[in-house]
Amino acid sequence: MSTPTTTQTPRPTPASFGQRLRRLAALAWRAEIGIWQSLYRWIFRRPRVPAGATGFAYHSPVFTILMIFIVLSAVEIPIIDLIVHPWPWVRIPLLILGIWGLTWMIGLALSYLTRPHAVGPDGIRARVGADVDVDLPWEAVASVERSRDVAEKAPKLRDEEHGRTLSLRMANETNILIVLEKPVRTRLSGNAVEIDAVRLWADDVDGFLQAVRTHIP
């Protein structure tokens, strides 16, 4: 009597160091492009809101601390420049690095202002600056409700009772839950993922829900 053979599913091959390095470089490049695009959109008053849609801010929980970091960085640049002034070979690289860092933080703050959540005829766009932009068409949306959730050091993706949930937290909090009729595919940190629900923070929860009701009573 022959012994039955079992077929084992091969494990995925771990990414090599070079692959991980290229992925990290691609993420850093996309972040850099997003920062400069945010500066451009703010200067020319071109927020990324689809035609006919209403934008909803979400930056209030983190904006004060961002402003504090920006001010401290702006003060730090001339102080360090004064300290290392006698050594040009140290002064110039530090000056370039300081100006770049200050510009980057300003661009990060502006990415929240120029890329708000949007509710419009085509659906909901859930965002976090230039990093996350999730398109949720109305045909995929089952319900939108007020739902406060606080989770420190929790992953962006986690399994909840309504399925795989993407949480776009501001200062560890969300206050709106969007449950989907069917999974929606989106990109997160360069990877394609499927989600069943989205949690997000909106500064004006009542206005957000009212805008939703105009499209899905």
Side-chain angles (χ1 to χ4, degrees):
M1 182 175 181
S2 60
T3 304
T5 58
T6 57
T7 303
Q8 294 183 346
T9 303
R11 295 181 179 179
T13 304
S16 66
F17 174 76
Q19 290 172 327
R20 292 196 298 268
L21 187 62
R22 286 192 295 272
R23 181 172 175 271
L24 184 61
L27 290 174
W29 177 249
R30 281 197 292 269
E32 191 73 21
I33 293 297
I35 292 300
W36 289 99
Q37 286 177 338
S38 299
L39 287 166
Y40 162 81
R41 287 184 176 278
W42 183 79
I43 290 171
F44 292 98
R45 302 293 189 269
R46 297 183 64 183
R48 195 170 182 180
V49 178
T54 304
F56 291 92
Y58 51 83
H59 60 265
S60 63
V62 299
F63 210 67
T64 299
I65 193 167
L66 273 176
M67 291 299 102
I68 292 172
F69 275 111
I70 288 171
V71 171
L72 290 177
S73 296
V75 172
E76 182 184 60
I77 291 173
I79 293 175
I80 292 180
D81 187 64
L82 184 63
I83 293 172
V84 300
H85 193 81
W87 305 286
W89 58 276
V90 175
R91 176 194 175 203
I92 293 174
L94 287 180
L95 188 61
I96 293 172
L97 185 62
I99 293 173
W100 173 82
L102 177 60
T103 304
W104 203 93
M105 282 192 291
I106 292 173
L108 176 63
L110 294 180
S111 72
Y112 294 152
L113 297 178
T114 59
R115 290 175 169 84
H117 300 313
V119 179
D122 297 326
I124 299 172
R125 299 296 289 267
R127 292 165 169 154
V128 177
D131 183 43
V132 180
D133 188 344
V134 183
D135 185 12
L136 304 172
W138 290 124
E139 59 267 22
V141 176
S143 65
V144 183
E145 63 187 69
R146 187 191 303 264
S147 175
R148 187 168 182 265
D149 180 72
V150 181
E152 295 185 9
K153 298 181 180 179
K156 284 184 179 179
L157 279 173
R158 65 179 182 181
D159 291 325
E160 299 185 11
E161 60 181 355
H162 34 261
R164 199 176 196 197
T165 304
L166 172 62
S167 295
L168 307 181
R169 301 182 187 90
M170 287 284 113
N172 299 319
E173 293 189 42
T174 61
N175 56 13
I176 290 176
L177 170 63
I178 304 169
V179 179
L180 304 176
E181 289 275 8
K182 57 185 179 181
V184 168
R185 181 175 289 270
T186 188
R187 297 196 70 81
L188 188 64
S189 299
N191 295 320
V193 297
E194 281 194 348
I195 54 175
D196 302 295
V198 176
R199 290 188 180 274
L200 57 84
W201 173 275
D203 294 345
D204 180 9
V205 180
D206 292 334
F208 189 99
L209 295 177
Q210 180 61 40
V212 168
R213 283 192 288 268
T214 64
H215 298 283
I216 50 169

